[in-house]
Structures are given as structure tokens and as C-alpha cells.
Amino acid sequence: MAMTIIDSEELDPHVSKLLSYATSTNKIKSEYNLYVHNFNRSLYGYESGGIIVGCVGIEVIHSEACEIKHIAVDEAHRGNGHGSEMLRYVRSKYRKITAETDKDAVLFYRSNGFVITSLGEKYPGVERFRCECGVY
């Protein structure tokens, strides 16, 4: 496993595809630009066999805490533990990690030691969840 920072001004099509799994298609470029231009955001790529097969984007809250904004693994590489590896990488850098997600990702976060709290129906017909791991 190799984690690398993704900070090129030009959005790689493969990274764009990964971000499409974690955000709406019309927000990909603007979200990517936040990672490239905001000092408190970072986008990391997960490499396997020399290619980026996953990414995790964070926003730093302070030196010991961050929020996961996006996490995604290429469809062909899912189920191989890459998402968990990316979470372990983030956990090695920050003591407190939070994320907001939908019902589909709750089991993933729970199985990686996060405490899950329902935020209720944040959008019509869509329940959201807060995932927290670590302490201050």
C-alpha cells in the first residue's frame, strides 16, 4: 500500500471517477479544487500495483482532528480492505476523526471502530449519519 497526496492542478480522469462515487457528478470539479487550493484540505490516493485505486479526502479541524469529506474505492478493487487501509492511514495522523455518511456506508465505518449516530432525515427521504472515532 502506498498513500500519496493528490494535488495536481489538472484533475486526472481516474481521480474524477473515484470522486464521483463519493459526491454528485456536478460537484466533482469544485470539490477537487477545494483539495488543491485550501490549506486545510488534503486528498490522498491509495495506490495498488502502481495505480490509484482509492482516495480519501479530509478537512483538518485542528492538529489532532479531521473530518473525512470523501472516501472511495474503484469498483474493481472493492472488498479487498483498501477502504480500511485508508482509514488506518488517516487514524495514524489524527486522534479524532468524524465523517457524515448515508445508510450504505454505516456498516463500513462501524466495522472500522467508528461510533454511529443518526442525524435523522437531513434531506427529504434521506437519513444521514455522523461517524466518530477517537478522542481529544
Side-chain angles (χ1 to χ4, degrees), residues 16 19-31 70:
S16 178
L19 286 174
S20 76
Y21 299 135
T23 191
S24 63
T25 305
N26 61 342
K27 289 184 176 182
I28 293 170
K29 287 182 182 177
S30 62
E31 289 296 320
H70 303 97

Side-chain angles (χ1 to χ4, degrees), residues 26-40:
N26 61 342
K27 289 184 176 182
I28 293 170
K29 287 182 182 177
S30 62
E31 289 296 320
Y32 183 77
N33 284 331
L34 288 173
Y35 289 118
V36 173
H37 298 290
N38 289 0
F39 73 93
N40 64 328

Side-chain angles (χ1 to χ4, degrees), residues 92-105:
S92 75
K93 297 187 164 302
Y94 298 94
R95 293 182 57 189
K96 174 77 173 175
I97 303 167
T98 59
E100 184 179 311
T101 193
D102 57 20
K103 187 177 179 180
D104 293 339

